[in-house]
Amino acid sequence: MLLIPCPWCGPRDEAEFHYGGQAHVVYPDNPAALSDTEWARYLFFRDNPKGPFAERWSHVAGCRRWFNVVRDTATNEIHAVYRVGETGPVNA
Amino acid sequence: MSTDELPEHPDWLWSSPEPKRSYDVVIVGGGGHGLATAYYLAKNHGITNIAVLEKGWLAGGNMARNTTIIRSNYLWDESAGIYEHSLKLWEGLEEDLGYPILFSQRGVLNLAHSMQDVRESVRRVNANRLNGVDAEWLGPEEVKEVCPIVNVSPDVRYPVLGATYQPRAGIAKHDYVAWGFARAAAAMGVDLIEHCEVTGIDVVDGRVRAVQTTRGRIAAGKVALCAAGHSSVVGRMAGVELPVQSHPLQALVSELLEPVHPTVVMSNAVHVYVSQAHKGELVMGAGIDAYNSYRQRGAFHIIEQQMAAALELFPIFARAHVLRTWGGVVDVSPDASPVVGLTPVDDLYVNCGWGTGGFKATPGVGWCYAHTIAHGEPHPLNAAFSLERFTTGALVDEHGAAAVAH
Ligand SMILES: Cc1cc2nc3c(=O)[nH]c(=O)nc-3n(C[C@H](O)[C@H](O)[C@H](O)COP(=O)(O)OP(=O)(O)OC[C@H]3O[C@@H](n4cnc5c(N)ncnc54)[C@H](O)[C@@H]3O)c2cc1C
């Protein structure tokens, strides 16, 4: 089980969290202006790297807040945790 | 014991040649799908100048880790087409490969626990029948007749309101299946090359030319990806983005028990599925771990939840012990259907997105993917499973029938 350091509550068991997938996926400014290819990309394609991955978690059984984590998907090691609105490490 | 007392090594089922400098077709990934694809390329299309490149050992990925459930009772026509084709191939596979695979058609029950489950299940039974797939709707008492150890009493949290039943479904021995395909493909001249990781894909003017590997550059007329959980990683080597996410998927077995469980039981709602292997272990699986990961292990709380669900359905398992748990890495697609076909790069083909349920498809996808590679265009049975469907919107949504985990 992962031990996830919530930026508000501190380290807690993974079972207290809900996973939110890739972080920093911005909703398109004007969806109607996108081509089908661009819309498909926004809807169905997410990064899936083997290595550092910026992702969202929500502490549903605690403070109920969303935040960002940089975790290495090859090792599950957590490299960084930062709040929504804060800037993550470069190359995350 | 000194080495001269060891028994003779049994005959190898395939040779391990040095890689040649070039092949007509290079298959990336020596799991069930890669091996079956090589077999049908040789057998159905006469293409034998093929290498299957495997970074570890043959079938050491999900092929050796799955819980071997085989069925074809999916909802949509497109899915019924490819999964039922596969099931028909399973029915003759042992003879075709000339190798035992312990295919046992003991049937599968997909349980319904709510009125919504019941409606969806009955709909799926009707859809299956229209597609020539054997399917029945059973009430709780009939469920008990098929599998006497299921608890069908009404006073549990998720009572069994009935089940769909596919009598032709079943299980097989996954490693024998891989070895059977490997042996037969090697006998037709296919080079099976283990400990050879693909580290790059050379694309020139939009056309694939070669793969870079830990054992040197290998030129290729065509390259066919079969990397399951690592599909995104190998796709990127050619600049091809794929709509899949890699997740751990776990399973477990109990110690060996007397035969008690005559069929396969799956439950979407309580999140577990169970069969009993030929040797006697209870084989159980659940859903994926939620986060993306390439680690072949998952969290223990998933196992605990899965055991709790199994116990509610099968109170008789209360004293059984978990012998072993393990995990694989599965490539999950947005619509719970695979991607099999062409890519934006010429002569580069993709087979991925089978997620939690591709073992059952092994012969079927091998057959269709081989056709796609040989002809440069999809077989009719995999045409709907193109990469373009995510742009056109013609998804094949099998979240209902894909069930708990396969
Ligand atoms: C726990 C578990 C239970 C499952 N239960 C079922 C079930 O009951 N029924 C069912 O139908 N399906 C089930 N599945 C899904 C099924 O196992 C997969 O969909 C299927 O095995 C995928 O195809 P494959 O056999 O070719 O994959 P794999 O055996 O994973 O083959 C892919 C191969 O590619 C190799 N590879 C990756 N990258 C490279 C590279 N760069 N160079 C060279 N080689 C590379 C890997 O080492 C691997 O051997 C289950 C999966 C798991 C993990």
Side-chain angles (χ1 to χ4, degrees):
Chain A
M1 179 168 333
L2 303 179
L3 187 64
I4 301 174
C6 169
W8 283 276
C9 312
R12 299 292 181 87
D13 281 348
E14 172 198 331
E16 293 188 13
F17 297 87
H18 179 81
Y19 188 59
Q22 185 184 347
H24 313 305
V25 178
V26 181
Y27 189 76
D29 274 344
N30 182 4
L34 297 189
S35 68
D36 287 352
T37 312
E38 289 164 334
W39 183 239
R41 195 140 280 278
Y42 168 70
L43 270 190
F44 297 121
F45 290 72
R46 293 292 177 269
D47 290 349
N48 187 26
K50 184 175 186 175
F53 184 45
E55 61 192 9
R56 297 175 309 165
W57 289 86
S58 167
H59 193 187
V60 284
C63 62
R64 301 195 56 78
R65 285 194 264 203
W66 284 96
F67 58 96
N68 301 308
V69 173
V70 177
R71 184 178 49 91
D72 189 322
T73 61
T75 61
N76 284 343
E77 198 181 340
I78 291 176
H79 291 309
V81 173
Y82 51 103
R83 300 178 182 187
V84 172
E86 287 177 357
T87 321
V90 227
N91 296 332
Chain B
M1 191 158 102
S2 73
T3 45
D4 47 70
E5 288 171 46
L6 290 175
E8 291 280 308
H9 192 284
D11 288 343
W12 294 98
L13 294 174
W14 58 88
S15 58
S16 299
E18 282 300 308
K20 292 192 280 188
R21 301 273 304 275
S22 96
Y23 290 93
D24 293 340
V25 179
V26 164
I27 295 173
V28 182
H33 290 198
L35 294 168
T37 302
Y39 172 73
Y40 289 114
L41 271 170
K43 184 174 179 233
N44 293 356
H45 305 282
I47 300 172
T48 55
N49 186 23
I50 304 173
V52 178
L53 307 182
E54 168 53 51
K55 73 180 161 98
W57 59 92
L58 285 192
N62 293 339
M63 189 61 178
R65 296 160 193 269
N66 69 76
T67 47
T68 82
I69 298 174
I70 296 166
R71 61 192 175 92
S72 64
N73 55 353
Y74 285 71
L75 178 65
W76 299 105
D77 297 353
E78 295 85 351
S79 318
I82 194 162
Y83 287 108
E84 177 59 20
H85 177 58
S86 195
L87 182 49
K88 291 209 172 86
L89 290 172
W90 280 110
E91 288 173 327
L93 196 57
E94 188 155 305
E95 204 170 314
D96 190 29
L97 296 177
Y99 196 77
I101 56 166
L102 301 190
F103 179 47
S104 158
Q105 291 180 290
R106 56 184 63 189
V108 64
L109 291 166
N110 291 80
L111 303 181
H113 300 274
S114 65
M115 279 321 292
Q116 179 63 20
D117 277 358
V118 171
R119 282 186 209 107
E120 280 182 13
S121 301
V122 171
R123 176 185 178 203
R124 190 157 49 76
V125 164
N126 290 334
N128 288 164
R129 288 186 170 175
L130 288 173
N131 278 316
V133 173
D134 57 320
E136 296 165 40
W137 167 254
L138 305 184
E141 286 311 314
E142 294 165 302
V143 168
K144 200 158 184 75
E145 271 168 40
V146 173
C147 188
I149 58 173
V150 177
N151 179 10
V152 295
S153 68
D155 60 347
V156 293
R157 175 66 184 84
Y158 297 103
V160 174
L161 301 183
T164 69
Y165 183 47
Q166 183 179 23
R168 284 165 61 244
I171 56 174
K173 199 153 164 60
H174 44 23
D175 39 9
Y176 288 12
V177 175
W179 300 340
F181 274 117
R183 173 177 167 270
M188 287 186 285
V190 173
D191 281 1
L192 305 177
I193 300 166
E194 296 172 272
H195 307 293
C196 181
E197 178 168 357
V198 172
T199 53
I201 300 178
D202 294 355
V203 177
V204 181
D205 296 333
R207 210 194 129 228
V208 81
R209 291 291 166 86
V211 294
Q212 303 289 343
T213 80
T214 47
R215 294 174 71 174
R217 179 182 191 272
I218 301 174
K222 299 180 177 193
V223 173
L225 305 181
C226 270
H230 278 75
S231 293
S232 298
V233 177
V234 293
R236 285 208 93 163
M237 292 176 190
V240 176
E241 300 284 338
L242 298 169
V244 293
Q245 299 278 291
S246 297
H247 290 271
L249 177 66
Q250 305 185 74
L252 63 90
V253 289
S254 72
E255 78 268 55
L256 306 188
L257 300 167
E258 293 288 316
V260 287
H261 185 11
T263 181
V264 180
V265 173
M266 307 176 61
S267 167
N268 242 343
V270 307
H271 241 66
V272 74
Y273 61 89
V274 187
S275 68
Q276 188 168 19
H278 297 84
K279 269 191 297 181
E281 313 105 307
L282 297 169
V283 182
M284 300 189 202
I288 54 171
D289 280 56
Y291 50 82
N292 291 32
S293 183
Y294 288 85
R295 289 275 279 152
Q296 287 173 314
R297 61 183 297 179
F300 192 68
H301 67 273
I302 305 277
I303 302 279
E304 282 183 308
Q305 284 160 9
Q306 160 186 349
M307 297 304 292
L311 267 190
E312 172 156 311
L313 285 179
F314 302 97
I316 189 180
F317 295 166
R319 297 280 168 224
H321 296 109
V322 173
L323 189 69
R324 180 167 88 246
T325 76
W326 67 89
V329 176
V330 296
D331 43 333
V332 176
S333 76
D335 58 357
S337 286
V339 179
V340 187
L342 314 188
T343 71
V345 176
D346 288 345
D347 296 327
L348 177 71
Y349 301 88
V350 65
N351 166 48
C352 71
W354 291 94
T356 58
F359 174 70
K360 64 179 69 65
T362 304
V365 70
W367 181 288
C368 294
Y369 196 35
H371 176 106
T372 305
I373 298 159
H375 294 276
E377 60 182 64
H379 185 280
L381 290 178
N382 65 286
F385 299 105
S386 67
L387 200 48
E388 288 86 64
R389 78 175 184 274
F390 298 97
T391 307
T392 62
L395 303 188
V396 187
D397 186 349
E398 285 292 355
H399 282 106
V404 52
H406 42 76

